[in-house]
């Protein structure tokens, strides 16, 4: 399609009036066209404004329940105990570890967005005999793989109502960076940290208001350098 | 202890803590897997989202699916949200609309029903204080739409609410594709300008 014409697809794109192949073609164009990207900000707002005119009845309350259940399940692999086959001890046989690593490498490129990827990453770190292990107080440990991927296992008691534990990666220079939230400690279920741990960094756990904080306000434990 | 056996109350945040947060902050929290923040965003936008989805798919069960899928997409991709590219509300409603359109195209339902314009769908009164703002917003957009030439308004409405592609629109209205494209482009730009002048670029109040 000629350039002149493809810029003109911005409105149809904002209105979702493109078929699949046109949509793909425009998205490819969009990735490299600053003019369309900028135009789409305003056109997108205008198209979304049309949503307010479509007012209908309130959604059924059950939809909210269902959605939040799904969201919770989506997140659950982070905090529920791992299935047995993932709970590899550090001395797992080489073959098992290699097989787990092979599976993981396949999905690695897709990022860590899905729970399945997270589970695989946890298996990889816990199955890595060369992983470093650091303690945070008496009841929490973090295993850190070669690539900095880190998994926390904590036996802290459940955070009080309205509070959450927050994990921090504290680099040798610079401020502490948030690396994940958890509430239920006694499950001892491994949690993949949302941030990799660079060499020489320390780890911390603080207790924060639910939802977490951008900076630690109430540090409970700090590790020695990883 | 396993999260799955926690009492229901512990998994059902009332999202009261988050209700005063701006959209952007809520999205940032969602990106960090804060379920309450997602619940708060849902509470803020589900009414509009469901109305939109129902309008497009014309079936309550399919509309619920579209809304659920869209908010799951919000949950899963909040980390990729770019505030320089869209307002959070636009991003969320775009996800809802995209899901609804995908559903309706899959179901091919739209071919079976007559097309309607906004004038015919005015049956749902909103009563509570919290919804007055939604009603105001709706009036404002309706007013802006009325300022457009008929054929531009028609193109926007049929594309957005009926989920038709530009080619299907051209066929439905028996006009050349180029004409449809320019009606959509000119109409949407004009709508954008009218709405900007009317001040509709604020997010929904933190109800
Ligand atoms: Zn362009």
């Amino acid at each position: 399609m000629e350039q002149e014409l493809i810029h003109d697809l911005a409105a149809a794109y904002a209105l979702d009036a493109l078929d699949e192949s046109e949509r793909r073609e425009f998205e490819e164009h969009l990735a490299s066209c600053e003019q369309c990207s900028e135009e789409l900000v305003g056109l997108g707002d205008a198209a979304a404004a049309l949503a307010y005119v479509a007012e209908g009845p309130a959604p059924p309350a059950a939809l909210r329940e269902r959605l939040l259940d799904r969201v919770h399940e989506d997140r659950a692999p982070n905090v529920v105990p791992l299935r047995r086959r993932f709970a590899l001890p550090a001395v797992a046989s080489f073959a098992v570890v290699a097989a787990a690593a092979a599976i993981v490498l396949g999905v690695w490129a897709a990022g860590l967005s899905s729970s399945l990827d997270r589970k695989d990453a946890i298996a990889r770190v816990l199955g890595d005999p060369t992983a470093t292990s650091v303690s945070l107080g008496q009841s929490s440990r973090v295993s850190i793989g070669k690539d900095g991927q880190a998994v926390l296992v904590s036996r802290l008691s459940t955070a009080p109502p309205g509070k959450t534990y927050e994990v921090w990666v504290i680099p040798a220079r610079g401020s502490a960076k948030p690396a994940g939230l958890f509430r239920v400690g006694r499950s001892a279920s491994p949690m993949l940290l949302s941030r990799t741990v660079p060499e020489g960094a320390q780890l911390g756990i603080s207790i924060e208001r639910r939802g977490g904080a951008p900076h630690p306000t109430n540090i409970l434990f700090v590790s020695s350098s990883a | 202890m396993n999260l799955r056996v926690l009492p229901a109350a512990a998994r059902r945040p009332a999202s009261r803590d988050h209700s005063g947060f701006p959209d952007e902050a809520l999205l940032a929290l969602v990106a960090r897997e804060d379920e309450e923040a997602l619940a708060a965003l849902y509470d803020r936008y589900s009414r509009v989202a469901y109305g939109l989805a129902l309008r497009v798919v014309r079936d309550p069960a399919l509309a619920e699916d579209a809304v659920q899928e869209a908010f799951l997409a919000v949950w899963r991709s909040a980390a990729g949200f770019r505030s320089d590219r869209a307002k959070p509300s636009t991003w969320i409603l775009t996800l809802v609309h995209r899901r609804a359109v995908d559903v309706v195209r899959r179901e091919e339902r739209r071919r079976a029903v007559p097309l309607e314009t906004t004038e015919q769908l005015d049956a749902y009164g909103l009563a509570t204080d919290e919804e007055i703002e939604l009603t105001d917003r709706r009036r404002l957009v309706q007013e802006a739409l009325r300022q457009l030439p008929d054929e531009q308004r028609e193109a926007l409405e049929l594309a957005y609410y009926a989920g038709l592609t530009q080619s299907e629109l051209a066929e439905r209205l028996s006009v050349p594709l180029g004409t449809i494209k320019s009606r959509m482009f000119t109409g949407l730009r004009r709508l954008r300008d009218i709405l900007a002048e009317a001040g509709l670029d604020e997010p929904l109040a933190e109800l």
Side-chain angles (χ1 to χ4, degrees), chain B residues 29-42:
Chain B
L29 289 172
V30 170
R32 291 167 59 190
E33 302 205 322
D34 184 324
E35 296 171 41
E36 290 176 47
L38 186 85
L41 277 176
Y42 177 85

Side-chain angles (χ1 to χ4, degrees), chain B residues 69-123:
Chain B
E69 288 307 309
F71 277 91
L72 274 177
V74 169
W75 171 251
R76 288 170 183 163
S77 50
F81 168 73
R82 289 190 50 190
S83 57
D84 58 332
R85 285 295 178 233
K87 294 189 300 197
S89 59
T90 295
W91 186 62
I92 292 168
L93 293 172
T94 302
L95 286 169
V96 172
H97 189 257
R98 175 69 64 88
R99 292 297 179 289
V101 164
D102 287 347
V103 165
V104 84
R105 287 185 188 162
R106 213 160 46 225
E107 299 282 321
E108 302 209 339
R109 297 180 73 86
R110 69 199 188 286
R111 293 189 171 83
V113 293
L115 299 174
E116 303 170 44
T117 56
T118 48
E119 316 300 327
Q120 292 162 275
L121 270 181
D122 210 48

Side-chain angles (χ1 to χ4, degrees), chain A residues 3 6-8 26 29-30 33-37:
Chain A
Q3 282 302 300
I6 203 161
H7 293 309
D8 287 350
F26 183 74
H29 168 74
L30 193 60
C33 180
E34 197 50 33
Q35 181 193 331
C36 282
S37 301

